[in-house]
Amino acid sequence: MSFKKETPLANAVFWAARKGNLALLQLLLNSGRVDADCKDCYGTTALMVASYSGHYDCARELIMQGADINLQRETGSTALFFAAQQGHNDIVKLLFEFGASTEFRTKDGGTALSAASQYGHSIVVETLLKNGANVHDQLNDGATPLFLAAQQGHVTVVRQLISSGAKVNHLREDGTAPLWMAAQMGHSEVVKVLLLRGADRDTDRKDGSTALFKAAFKGHNQVIEELLKFSPSLGLLKNGSTALHAAVMGGNPKTVSLLLEANADPSLPNNNNDFPADLTKNDRILWLLRPNIANGS
């Protein structure tokens, strides 16, 4: 966290909160010459700094000295947001004890729950959910806490959110599903959990690509193995191509082999009338697709 202090005393309060120097913080606050809610030019408060830095005693002292729990920084962030983002569950609980709200949002729509989910802080996620956090929160682009957890591969958080009612097939505004994002990132365990909990294996983005197509292009073979258990489409997709075309372009022979073993059709052309074999010069892949080419026939 970066912040700019306005006065020498405020500067000292921020320094004490950041370093966890409780004695100095008490001395400054008890002097009566600086307010517990002193701010920098971005609206950052000492309580936000202590919450971000994980200094429980300093956070509690600021609260007992009258600091406003729910003040928002210029970006919309609160002390709860920062504590959740950094995984400081003791401070999250403290803030709830004194009336912290889960409803405040950052300018991009972020909440304490979305921050904790994105960073994989499962204990904090549990605390937030128990204290009324909305599992259906969305960023301005439509990304939910489940989407963010899936994107980062936090399988424990994914399970928690789904068990609390998160919608596995909720799309971001660009049409991206949590399954698609997890597949692209290579998070096979998350892909497995999402599929078992009802994720649509063939949901495509606005560009027409599916989770299997993206995983094939990236060469994420463990992801592909999980997807193939649910019989995804191996035919022509809305983007005018197939997962096998994507695998060939990605250049991973193992990926190509997995799809062929699942009965992907190497004789199926894309919308440009290109067969998968037309998209590579890799001898190993050509051998898999058309063995006679590797033999010089």
Side-chain angles (χ1 to χ4, degrees):
M1 177 190 292
S2 62
F3 47 84
K4 180 180 178 182
K5 281 69 68 177
E6 298 300 321
T7 67
L9 283 177
N11 177 51
V13 168
F14 276 74
W15 185 91
R18 180 165 60 89
K19 294 295 186 179
N21 191 326
L22 179 60
L24 176 59
L25 183 63
Q26 289 174 327
L27 180 65
L28 291 165
L29 294 174
N30 290 336
S31 72
R33 298 174 60 194
V34 60
D35 191 270
D37 282 328
C38 60
K39 304 174 184 177
D40 70 6
C41 63
Y42 303 112
T44 313
T45 67
L47 179 58
M48 294 177 193
V49 175
S51 298
Y52 178 91
S53 302
H55 298 307
Y56 178 93
D57 290 339
C58 288
R60 194 176 194 286
E61 181 66 25
L62 285 160
I63 293 171
M64 299 309 293
Q65 292 270 6
D68 188 333
I69 299 286
N70 291 313
L71 283 178
Q72 290 180 275
R73 199 170 184 247
E74 185 180 88
T75 58
S77 305
T78 62
L80 181 65
F81 179 93
F82 286 122
Q85 180 190 60
Q86 297 303 113
H88 301 311
N89 193 54
D90 56 343
I91 295 180
V92 170
K93 288 183 175 180
L94 173 70
L95 294 169
F96 277 132
E97 183 182 342
F98 286 91
S101 171
T102 61
E103 296 182 3
F104 291 100
R105 297 177 176 274
T106 62
K107 286 185 175 180
D108 66 359
T111 62
L113 181 60
S114 61
S117 299
Q118 181 176 4
Y119 287 93
H121 301 308
S122 59
I123 297 177
V124 172
V125 168
E126 181 180 356
T127 299
L128 290 168
L129 291 171
K130 286 180 178 178
N131 285 274
N134 186 356
V135 75
H136 305 301
D137 283 343
Q138 296 179 34
L139 301 183
N140 295 343
D141 65 2
T144 62
L146 177 62
F147 184 97
L148 297 171
Q151 182 177 31
Q152 299 300 324
H154 301 309
V155 67
T156 300
V157 174
V158 167
R159 289 194 180 101
Q160 286 176 293
L161 294 170
I162 294 174
S163 295
S164 296
K167 298 176 181 178
V168 295
N169 290 310
H170 178 86
L171 305 181
R172 202 169 59 179
E173 287 187 354
D174 62 359
T176 308
L179 179 65
W180 190 100
M181 183 56 70
Q184 177 193 236
M185 301 303 293
H187 302 313
S188 59
E189 283 299 310
V190 172
V191 167
K192 179 178 180 180
V193 170
L194 291 172
L195 288 168
L196 289 171
R197 298 304 293 268
D200 185 343
R201 63 191 183 278
D202 287 323
T203 296
D204 51 21
R205 293 208 317 170
K206 290 180 179 179
D207 63 7
S209 65
T210 62
L212 181 63
F213 183 93
K214 198 64 181 182
F217 182 74
K218 292 279 191 174
H220 296 316
N221 294 328
Q222 289 182 311
V223 168
I224 292 170
E225 289 172 349
E226 294 299 334
L227 287 164
L228 289 175
K229 294 174 184 177
F230 287 78
S231 303
S233 174
L234 295 170
L236 207 61
L237 303 173
K238 291 179 183 178
N239 63 2
S241 194
T242 70
L244 186 57
H245 284 87
V248 170
M249 289 188 292
N252 188 320
K254 174 62 175 175
T255 304
V256 173
S257 180
L258 282 172
L259 294 176
L260 290 172
E261 290 170 4
N263 295 319
D265 186 357
S267 67
L268 185 62
N270 62 18
N271 279 1
N272 294 323
N273 288 319
D274 292 321
F275 296 101
D278 296 329
L279 304 178
T280 185
K281 294 182 179 179
N282 184 304
D283 286 340
R284 289 186 63 194
I285 292 177
L286 288 171
W287 183 86
L288 290 167
L289 295 169
R290 300 188 307 192
N292 60 321
I293 291 179
N295 295 327
S297 302

